[in-house]
Amino acid sequence: MIDETVAEIEGMQTHSSSVVAVKAARALTELLEREYATVEEFVRDLERNSSVLRRANPSHASLFNVQHSITREVDEDEPEDVASAKAALADAIDRAVERVEDGKDRAASHTAETLEDGMTVLTHDYSSTVNAAIERAVEEGNELSVYVTEARPRLAGRKTARHLAGIDGVEPTLIVDSAAGNYLEECDCVLMGMDCLVGDTLYNRVGTYPIAATAADLDVPMRVTGSGAKLIDSGFVFENDYRPASEVLLEPAEGFAVENPLYDATPIRLLDAIITDDGAMAF
């Protein structure tokens, strides 16, 4: 399970960083089935596998936070034997998963409160928290129009558009990334998920920064939402992920280079609000 989860994270088959964090936490249950002679051997194996999972995507703060919390809680439990160490790990995994999922749920609820009937929203990429917030808003009787960027080159926005198309009360429109500025003047706000917030910088799917800058120029409120597990102050260094050129260009590049960064950096001064499980932080 651990090896398969690492491969999945490295291949970005799962687009939501919260889902990645939960999958990686649950992958550690594999250790509960292994045999260990001592507690020390168990703890070493836990730390090694947790490190492997963290390194599978060093750009995900939620992955870092969840893995760190699991290993810390097992260590703080000070188990006296392997059986109690395994019990401590099982409990730590359950708590970590609950924190992420509960955090997403509450963040979506707070975000839904900002969406009013008749609003037009622009979103970028795919965010399970954004989708949940929109679903909750229309369940309250609101109708929304949503412009969805394709989020090239992996086209995660198409997944968002298809999801929103299945929700009564939502009218989604898929647009190419470069057309965002053309439609922002029609929008009441921009609403996106977030990969992580480190200090005063938002790291999110590439294309977020130009949308945020354009929205600021047009006085369109820019809001991001996600679990508080994605906020981090120290101990974490963001590393961008540069994807294969083949995602951009199928044929070989001859005489030129192809760059395909997965994320970009947006200063929080361009944001109007960050909405987490603790509510909204306005700027």
Side-chain angles (χ1 to χ4, degrees), residues 40-194:
E40 290 74 21
E41 182 184 348
F42 173 83
V43 171
R44 283 196 302 270
D45 200 35
L46 169 60
E47 291 175 346
R48 182 181 65 81
N49 281 281
S50 179
S51 178
V52 168
L53 286 161
R54 288 198 305 271
R55 291 199 305 270
N57 193 323
S59 66
H60 281 350
S62 52
L63 175 61
F64 174 89
N65 279 336
V66 166
Q67 290 295 317
H68 180 69
S69 71
I70 290 172
T71 55
R72 184 188 68 245
E73 288 176 20
V74 171
D75 182 64
E76 290 176 350
D77 196 69
E78 298 182 352
E80 296 181 355
D81 53 41
V82 173
S84 58
K86 287 184 176 181
L89 173 60
D91 289 342
I93 291 170
D94 288 343
R95 286 192 296 268
V97 169
E98 183 178 357
R99 282 194 297 269
V100 173
E101 294 184 338
D102 182 60
K104 283 178 56 178
D105 186 66
R106 286 189 285 134
S109 180
H110 291 312
T111 304
E113 294 172 359
T114 71
L115 300 174
E116 301 175 359
D117 186 39
M119 286 183 68
T120 298
V121 178
L122 184 140
T123 192
H124 179 58
D125 196 44
Y126 180 90
S127 165
S128 56
T129 308
V130 168
N131 290 341
I134 291 172
E135 288 187 56
R136 291 188 180 208
V138 298
E139 286 171 359
E140 295 297 321
N142 300 303
E143 294 189 357
L144 304 171
S145 297
V146 184
Y147 285 111
V148 184
T149 59
E150 284 189 302
R152 288 181 175 272
R154 293 185 64 82
L155 304 172
R158 295 185 184 182
K159 180 181 177 182
T160 300
R162 292 189 183 99
H163 178 84
L164 296 180
I167 304 173
D168 290 338
V170 181
E171 184 181 338
T173 301
L174 185 68
I175 61 174
V176 297
D177 295 351
S178 54
N182 190 58
Y183 293 99
L184 270 170
E185 286 185 311
E186 301 177 26
C187 297
D188 297 291
C189 73
V190 176
L191 179 61
M192 296 188 195
M194 57 178 169

Side-chain angles (χ1 to χ4, degrees), residues 176-235:
V176 297
D177 295 351
S178 54
N182 190 58
Y183 293 99
L184 270 170
E185 286 185 311
E186 301 177 26
C187 297
D188 297 291
C189 73
V190 176
L191 179 61
M192 296 188 195
M194 57 178 169
D195 185 72
C196 61
L197 186 75
V198 184
D200 59 358
T201 303
L202 166 70
Y203 294 99
N204 200 44
R205 186 64 54 130
V206 70
T208 298
Y209 185 21
I211 291 174
T214 305
D217 186 57
L218 297 173
D219 291 325
V220 178
M222 170 82 179
R223 302 164 184 159
V224 297
T225 181
S227 164
K230 297 182 177 183
L231 277 59
I232 195 162
D233 293 321
S234 60

